[in-house]
Amino acid sequence: MANEDQKDFNAMLHDSKDMPKIQTITDEKSILKYGGDRMYFAPPIDYDKVMRLVPPGKLLTIGVIREYFAGKSGADFTEPITAGIFVSIAAWASYQRENDKTPYWRTLKANGELNPKYPGGVTEQKKMLEEEGHVVISKGRTNIKYYVKDYEQKLIVLE
């Protein structure tokens, strides 16, 4: 995202944009990739609510959130693009609030990767995760990415 300092992320967080909803897709490639044609769209505030469930020392991934929403809604999968955007909105909304913070730094991308779109980028997320006892490792030589080591062992189970 760009111009984060000029946006009201808390307003975006509470704008449901006619969600939740389920949409039937017809693209065969997507149906094969995601295992069905029923695609769920969760509103931004739902991502924030789930991200708040993660206690210190534990983690969550966007993929786990998407699986949870799909299962809860009866859809085959949760739309991935809006999922990434709405997780970032939840992070920036929390960052803009004085109180009532969402522990967004505990929500990772796929494979335990840190999210460069969070406030302060991976540097700040890495710092916050390490303060909670997580080990962050880097991978790559030119396009360096950061991951939480053994993140799978620290994932919470959403029910």
Side-chain angles (χ1 to χ4, degrees):
M1 289 188 219
N3 303 316
E4 283 82 0
D5 56 338
Q6 298 169 13
K7 296 178 181 176
D8 182 351
F9 286 96
N10 284 285
M12 291 181 197
L13 190 64
H14 294 281
D15 182 358
S16 70
K17 297 198 182 299
D18 300 324
M19 295 177 225
K21 67 181 176 184
I22 292 179
Q23 183 176 325
T24 302
I25 62 168
T26 57
D27 176 57
E28 288 299 324
K29 217 172 169 183
S30 295
I31 292 169
L32 283 172
K33 180 177 180 178
Y34 296 114
D37 66 352
R38 293 173 47 80
M39 179 170 60
Y40 181 70
F41 290 84
I45 193 69
D46 286 3
Y47 287 89
D48 186 76
K49 287 176 183 173
V50 171
M51 291 165 72
R52 288 172 178 267
L53 300 174
V54 187
K58 293 294 186 178
L59 300 167
L60 191 57
T61 66
I62 298 170
V64 169
I65 297 172
R66 289 182 53 232
E67 288 173 14
Y68 169 73
F69 285 153
K72 193 174 169 189
S73 68
D76 297 312
F77 66 101
T78 301
E79 201 282 325
I81 305 298
T82 57
I85 293 168
F86 292 168
V87 163
S88 290
I89 287 172
W92 280 96
S94 176
Y95 180 76
Q96 288 180 341
R97 289 192 299 269
E98 290 281 327
N99 301 307
D100 195 28
K101 298 287 189 180
T102 300
Y104 60 86
W105 57 91
R106 298 178 190 144
T107 299
L108 308 171
K109 294 174 62 174
N111 303 312
E113 184 182 349
L114 275 57
N115 195 332
K117 294 184 179 175
Y118 284 168
V122 294
T123 303
E124 191 62 26
Q125 187 181 16
K126 179 179 183 287
K127 179 180 152 225
M128 295 170 100
L129 289 168
E130 288 175 340
E131 286 173 1
E132 293 186 353
H134 299 287
V135 176
V136 177
I137 57 173
S138 63
K139 294 182 182 177
R141 288 187 173 202
T142 53
N143 186 17
I144 299 171
K145 294 184 179 185
Y146 295 88
Y147 300 83
V148 173
K149 183 178 181 189
D150 301 323
Y151 77 96
E152 304 96 334
Q153 297 170 12
K154 297 173 182 157
L155 291 174
I156 67 165
V157 176
L158 297 173
E159 297 178 31

